[in-house]
């Protein structure tokens, strides 16, 4: 089965300093992988690199850019637009008509007409996560997706995630929460922690080669 994501000999830098190196990973359709490691080990840096927001310091990444949906710490919402308008905008960008279903999936239908700026932190987080569903993209890169969510919302998001995997999607998740995904693998990043050193000029050029 062709993987949705593969990385070989990957090295990642943050602020010009190497933080991870020698990392291999692979995600097939239907698979989930949880990233583990202490604060500062490089989970966010790895996700940003895999999402194409910064170049790798070394190694290769195999993933179709149009396959990736990245959910970062920021919810990426327009405060003056309603919940429905926010999702409608992103659905139009991605050419889907899934905004209504996404609102329902994250229990936001009753808040569809409320401006995003008037939502609570947990509601904003759910709305940000609902954007994943309107992208139509199979590979989800998730950076602490359950921040600000209560137990019921975490369980609902886990259900959404399981549905995504059942449809042949995949997910790479940096989280300390238990999402009740017994089939998910775990990737400990501590063994790939680099000896902190600046990325050299040669490394920088190679990252764009």
């Amino acid at each position: 089965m062709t993987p949705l994501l593969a990385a070989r000999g990957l090295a990642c830098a943050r602020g010009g300093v190497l933080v991870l190196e020698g990392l291999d990973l692979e995600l097939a359709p239907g698979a989930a992988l949880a990233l583990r490691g202490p604060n500062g080990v490089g989970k966010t840096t790895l996700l940003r690199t895999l999402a194409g927001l910064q170049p790798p310091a070394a190694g290769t990444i195999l993933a179709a850019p149009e396959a990736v949906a990245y959910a970062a710490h920021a919810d990426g919402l327009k405060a003056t637009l309603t919940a429905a308008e926010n999702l409608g905008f992103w659905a139009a960008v991605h050419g889907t008509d899934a905004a209504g279903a996404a609102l329902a999936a994250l229990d936001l239908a009753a808040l569809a007409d409320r401006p995003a700026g008037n939502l609570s932190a947990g509601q904003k987080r759910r709305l940000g996560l609902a954007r994943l569903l309107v992208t139509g993209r199979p590979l989800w890169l998730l950076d602490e997706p359950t921040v600000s969510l209560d137990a019921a919302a975490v369980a609902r998001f886990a259900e959404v995630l399981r549905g995504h995997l059942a449809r042949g999607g995949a997910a790479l998740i940096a989280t300390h929460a238990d999402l009740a995904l017994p089939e998910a693998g775990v990737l400990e990043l501590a063994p790939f922690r680099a000896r902190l050193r600046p990325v050299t000029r040669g490394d920088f050029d190679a990252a764009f080669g």
Side-chain angles (χ1 to χ4, degrees):
M1 184 181 297
T2 303
L4 290 172
L5 171 67
R8 301 285 182 264
L10 191 64
C12 305
R14 179 176 60 239
V17 176
L18 206 62
V19 293
L20 294 170
E21 60 184 342
L23 189 150
D24 295 335
L25 67 85
E26 191 169 292
L27 267 181
L33 187 62
L35 299 177
R36 293 283 190 265
N39 291 338
V41 73
K43 296 186 289 292
T44 294
T45 300
L46 173 60
L47 289 171
R48 288 180 51 83
T49 303
L50 293 172
L53 299 178
Q54 62 185 62
T60 58
I61 299 170
L62 301 175
E66 65 275 11
V68 178
Y70 176 49
H73 293 154
D75 295 318
L77 304 175
K78 294 291 186 181
T80 57
L81 297 182
T82 67
E85 288 169 341
N86 268 282
L87 286 188
F89 170 81
W90 287 110
V93 167
H94 293 285
T96 72
D97 58 358
L103 284 169
L106 273 299
D107 195 24
L108 291 164
L111 303 173
D113 296 325
R114 184 175 298 183
N118 293 343
L119 299 176
S120 71
Q123 290 165 344
K124 288 177 181 176
R125 190 58 172 168
R126 281 188 281 143
L127 184 56
L129 293 172
R131 291 193 304 154
L132 295 165
L133 292 168
V134 305
T135 66
R137 296 186 169 191
L139 176 58
W140 291 0
L141 305 179
L142 309 176
D143 196 353
E144 297 293 350
T146 60
V147 168
S148 300
L149 297 186
D150 60 24
V154 170
R156 180 172 285 269
F157 176 67
E159 182 179 347
V160 167
L161 186 53
R162 285 192 293 270
H164 176 67
L165 300 178
R167 292 188 296 272
L172 183 63
I173 316 159
T175 181
H176 296 288
D178 181 7
L179 294 176
L181 296 171
E183 70 277 20
V186 174
L187 176 60
E188 293 285 352
L189 291 184
F192 303 101
R193 177 179 264 167
R195 178 177 58 84
L196 295 182
R197 62 186 187 277
V199 177
T200 66
R201 176 74 183 182
D203 289 336
F204 180 84
D205 290 340
F208 288 88

